[in-house]
Amino acid sequence: MDDQNKNLILATALSFVVILVWFLLFPPPEQPTDPNAPAQQEETVDGGPVVAPSAQSDAATTDSAPADVQEASESPRVEIDTPRLAGSVSLQGGRIDDLQLKDYTETIEPDSEIVHLFNPVGGQDAYYALYGWAAGQGLDPADVPGPETEWQAEAGATLTPDTPLVLTWESPADLTFTRQIAVDDDYMFTVTQRVENTGGDSAALAPYGILRRHGEPVNAKNFFILHEGAIAMADGELTETSWDNMTDLDVNEREGARAEVTEVAEDGWIGFTDHYWMSTLIPDQGQRFRATAKYDEQRDIYQAEQVLPTMTVAAGESAEVSTRLFAGAKEWETIREYQNQPGLFARLFGAEQNSDRQPIDRFVDSIDWGWFFFLTKPIFAVLHFLNGLIGNMGVAIIVLTLLIKALLLPLAYKSYVSMAKMKELQPEMEKIKERAGDDRQKLQQEMMGLYKKEKVNPASGCLPILMQIPIFFSLYKVIFVTLELRHAPFFGPFQDLSAPDPTSIFNLFGLLPWGAPAEGTMLALVFIGVLPLLLGASMWLQQKLNPAPPDPTQAMIFAWMPWVFMFMLGSFASGLVVYWIANNTITFTQQYLIMRSQGYHPDVFGNIKSSFKRKSGGDAKDAKDAKKGGADKK
């Protein structure tokens, strides 16, 4: 290790090589076409005949029972209107199958449509939630509400936070079913199902909830750093099953499809997660239920189920059960509040836990924090706090970089001091090498003795560099995964820090009357924007703290490295590039000041001028002189 700057650049190179290899091994595929062309669909509820409860288990067993479904435009509907949600509930089956997120648009363009989360059967990307009762012993499927059941609602009813929707249906088996759907000001529905037995015989039936997606989502990223697919929490254990892995599940004879079944004893939830959106079925915490992630390959349907224990309702009695449905954006603050934990920003200003809400076990883990969760969680918490304080995510990223560099400053200082001592010991180390000759064991022993005598740790210079790599990957994860970076503006043309730099050399950064190359094309990789250019310049300037290595091959590699990384990072999220520019700038300043404090004067301008000189084969002496002048001892 000749100096800290070269080590830092080398570690940076290695980290980006790892990223590049990942991109080559796991390239994001092209956007798939919709596998469910609008056509007549068949709808089934996995809530048919129920096996009578046994001594071992009283959980319901469900089978599939085909039933016809009307097109979305033909079914009667009740409007959903909340501060953050719009859509409708289909009275056919009582399905929540039309849901839009008012606060989010598909793009940053002014005329962009708002995000559609749920879509009815018969349209593109059908995705919905449905509830019901599985018929048990003594009941037929026609005796319980199914997907084709026509529920009744009051005329002019609208589902709002202040006015729950009440649906009713009379069964031919003398059972009266009532379903109340309530919604809060954010994204949480509460579905209360009630059955009243007005007949003369008892009835056994099991309440269930289902989330169903027809085909893999058309906008799935399918990127290795992000989980998309089924997600479940069962008694403290998180399970993530991607769309591809769901199609490879073992066939479960009881479920009649590829399925993974989990018996949850107390606390849990199950659902589907996209990049920024999620839907989740949540029974009351402490409630035993069966969670199933299922794939029906015949109809290409992905399904998440919650089936609660079978209830036996005697004649003249009634039974009721309430469950929740989260359907919305994966906002960190909102999800933490549903977990009954206010976020960092709220807690610092005295927010208390909401005792009116039943806590949801580890609900914040529905956000994909990754393997480095012990870094990604606190990094995001600080970034979120800074953004709330400053009001600009780009500036918050720069301030976060300052804080990280301040935390690592003692290590960086100690690293350079240790390297300076290593340079002072260089003559003595050369003498040891001459005495030891080819005896490697003797060489190692004498070297270790010298380090111990002079109190020098040769590995201390690597610690700050090793710390940088997981921090970089963690911040990359945070910027790529979290919703708060989506469409987050910085300034000028940089209105979405989760997207690549929108500027381009191709049109002189907007000065010429034509657009930039389309994202993802070869031209876009070549004609990069202003942020990657600043990144390359900052890396190049950082190199100039030290003279070029005397070895021509090594010097050529170091000379090309900033410009190679500049093009490699051109397609990365602009928020990550902002972080790396700030990191390079702060590192340059720190390194310069530390070198001055140790009695060395970096000749930055001299090193820059020498890098433009053409060196012939006889210029080795000039290179040696440049190296000597690069850090003159005071």
Side-chain angles (χ1 to χ4, degrees):
M1 292 181 289
D2 293 332
D3 53 70
Q4 187 185 33
N5 192 49
K6 291 178 183 177
N7 280 336
L8 180 60
I9 295 172
L10 183 59
T12 304
L14 291 175
S15 65
F16 281 113
V17 167
V18 172
I19 294 176
L20 181 61
V21 171
W22 280 350
F23 269 109
L24 294 175
L25 292 178
F26 306 100
E30 297 180 3
Q31 295 295 337
T33 57
D34 180 23
N36 300 290
Q40 186 172 357
Q41 306 273 345
E42 281 194 345
E43 182 72 14
T44 68
V45 173
D46 290 6
V50 176
V51 175
S54 64
Q56 289 79 16
S57 172
D58 62 353
T61 329
T62 59
D63 300 313
S64 295
D68 294 330
V69 176
Q70 292 178 337
E71 294 285 333
S73 59
E74 299 175 1
S75 60
R77 295 187 164 273
V78 173
E79 182 184 2
I80 299 173
D81 186 14
T82 80
R84 312 194 69 185
L85 296 173
S88 59
V89 176
S90 172
L91 293 185
Q92 182 189 21
R95 295 188 305 275
I96 304 173
D97 62 356
D98 175 26
L99 204 60
Q100 298 110 50
L101 311 183
K102 291 181 176 180
D103 295 337
Y104 298 96
T105 56
E106 295 289 348
T107 68
I108 60 175
E109 299 300 325
D111 58 347
S112 176
E113 292 186 0
I114 62 176
V115 170
H116 285 243
L117 181 62
F118 284 171
N119 296 294
V121 173
Q124 187 183 45
D125 210 13
Y127 181 20
Y128 48 89
L130 56 94
Y131 290 82
W133 297 82
Q137 189 175 26
L139 293 177
D140 294 327
D143 296 331
V144 293
E148 75 281 7
T149 299
E150 289 288 346
W151 292 83
Q152 301 298 315
E154 291 185 7
T158 301
L159 175 56
T160 72
D162 299 322
T163 57
L165 172 63
V166 179
L167 307 177
T168 58
W169 181 71
E170 298 286 342
S171 165
D174 295 325
L175 300 173
T176 300
F177 291 91
T178 304
R179 182 180 301 168
Q180 177 181 282
I181 304 175
V183 64
D184 65 9
D185 290 330
D186 292 312
Y187 306 117
M188 191 68 76
F189 294 84
T190 301
V191 180
T192 303
Q193 299 188 87
R194 187 174 188 274
V195 56
E196 182 180 359
N197 188 351
T198 58
D201 299 323
S202 62
L205 62 175
Y208 64 80
I210 291 177
L211 287 167
R212 183 173 288 167
R213 304 195 77 150
H214 290 240
E216 187 174 327
V218 295
N219 58 351
K221 295 292 190 299
N222 291 321
F223 195 34
F224 73 97
I225 200 173
L226 171 71
H227 170 67
E228 295 173 288
I231 185 169
M233 181 67 67
D235 298 321
E237 182 177 350
L238 182 69
T239 302
E240 297 176 332
T241 310
S242 67
W243 303 118
D244 289 341
N245 288 339
M246 287 189 72
T247 63
D248 294 331
L249 292 173
D250 294 333
V251 175
N252 187 303
E253 297 298 334
R254 183 184 187 186
E255 298 293 334
R258 296 185 179 275
E260 184 175 26
V261 181
T262 304
E263 298 292 343
V264 182
E266 291 186 355
D267 299 330
W269 39 267
I270 186 170
F272 292 123
T273 180
D274 297 322
H275 191 172
Y276 297 119
W277 332 115
M278 179 177 65
S279 62
T280 313
L281 301 167
I282 310 163
D284 284 346
Q285 301 302 278
Q287 169 69 63
R288 183 163 55 94
F289 71 101
R290 187 172 73 246
T292 304
K294 180 186 297 185
Y295 175 66
D296 183 343
E297 53 191 339
Q298 290 185 348
R299 295 173 298 151
D300 191 25
I301 289 179
Y302 299 86
Q303 191 159 295
E305 303 174 2
Q306 63 173 19
V307 181
L308 276 63
T310 300
M311 298 179 175
T312 301
V313 185
E317 295 185 355
S318 63
E320 182 178 284
V321 63
S322 291
T323 59
R324 285 179 286 177
L325 166 68
F326 176 91
K330 294 193 291 186
E331 299 167 350
W332 184 70
E333 284 283 356
T334 303
I335 290 176
R336 283 183 66 91
E337 289 179 4
Y338 286 129
Q339 188 178 288
N340 210 10
Q341 272 188 294
L344 175 65
F345 184 79
R347 293 202 307 274
L348 288 176
F349 288 89
E352 299 293 336
Q353 291 191 354
N354 190 338
S355 58
D356 295 334
R357 284 177 175 169
Q358 188 184 46
I360 303 174
D361 183 40
R362 292 181 56 186
F363 201 40
V364 76
D365 287 341
S366 59
I367 300 172
D368 184 13
W369 301 109
W371 290 349
F372 291 108
F373 63 90
F374 52 90
L375 287 176
T376 52
K377 283 185 176 182
I379 284 175
F380 175 77
V382 175
L383 182 62
H384 185 71
F385 169 75
L386 291 173
N387 182 47
L389 197 63
I390 299 170
N392 185 293
M393 185 61 79
V395 178
I397 290 173
I398 296 173
V399 175
L400 174 65
T401 311
L402 279 167
L403 294 177
I404 292 173
K405 298 300 291 185
L407 289 174
L408 296 178
L409 179 59
L411 291 176
Y413 185 84
K414 185 177 180 180
S415 168
Y416 185 79
V417 170
S418 177
M419 288 182 176
K421 290 182 179 179
M422 290 285 290
K423 288 183 179 180
E424 293 177 0
L425 295 178
Q426 196 66 33
E428 187 64 29
M429 292 168 64
E430 292 296 330
K431 293 179 182 178
I432 292 175
K433 290 179 181 179
E434 292 178 4
R435 291 198 303 267
D438 295 333
D439 191 344
R440 292 185 176 275
Q441 185 175 359
K442 181 180 178 181
L443 174 64
Q444 186 176 12
Q445 289 176 348
E446 292 197 22
M447 285 289 192
M448 294 303 296
L450 178 64
Y451 296 152
K452 186 176 181 180
K453 176 184 175 183
E454 300 295 336
K455 298 180 179 179
V456 174
N457 183 2
S460 63
C462 300
L463 187 58
I465 301 167
L466 293 176
M467 290 287 290
Q468 291 263 11
I469 296 175
I471 289 173
F472 171 79
F473 281 120
S474 298
L475 191 64
Y476 176 51
K477 178 84 171 179
V478 164
I479 290 175
F480 187 86
V481 168
T482 54
L483 174 67
E484 284 72 9
L485 269 294
R486 181 183 187 266
H487 296 176
F490 186 20
F491 72 93
F494 309 107
Q495 295 299 307
D496 185 1
L497 289 172
S498 68
D501 186 340
T503 63
S504 175
I505 303 175
F506 186 73
N507 60 2
L508 287 182
F509 314 112
L511 296 178
L512 298 178
W514 54 75
E519 182 181 335
T521 63
M522 184 58 68
L523 285 177
L525 293 175
V526 175
F527 294 102
I528 55 177
V530 64
L531 290 181
L533 285 172
L534 290 175
L535 171 67
S538 66
M539 290 186 68
W540 179 76
L541 187 62
Q542 191 177 339
Q543 282 187 352
K544 300 311 169 186
L545 282 170
N546 293 280
D551 180 69
T553 303
Q554 189 179 9
M556 182 182 67
I557 293 173
F558 274 86
W560 279 100
M561 195 176 295
W563 317 120
V564 172
F565 288 157
M566 178 180 71
F567 286 101
M568 284 175 57
L569 277 174
S571 60
F572 277 48
S574 54
L576 190 71
V577 183
V578 168
Y579 161 76
W580 208 245
I581 294 171
N583 181 76
N584 288 345
T585 305
I586 298 167
T587 300
F588 174 88
T589 305
Q590 282 185 350
Q591 184 72 12
Y592 183 87
L593 294 176
I594 291 173
M595 293 174 77
R596 291 292 297 255
S597 72
Q598 294 300 304
Y600 290 86
H601 289 248
D603 187 10
V604 178
F605 293 106
N607 293 333
I608 291 175
K609 286 195 293 184
S610 66
S611 67
F612 288 101
K613 292 181 180 179
R614 286 187 179 179
K615 292 184 173 63
S616 62
D619 285 343
K621 183 177 182 300
D622 293 341
K624 183 176 180 181
D625 293 341
K627 180 179 179 181
K628 181 180 178 183
D632 294 326
K633 187 83 173 177
K634 184 185 283 184

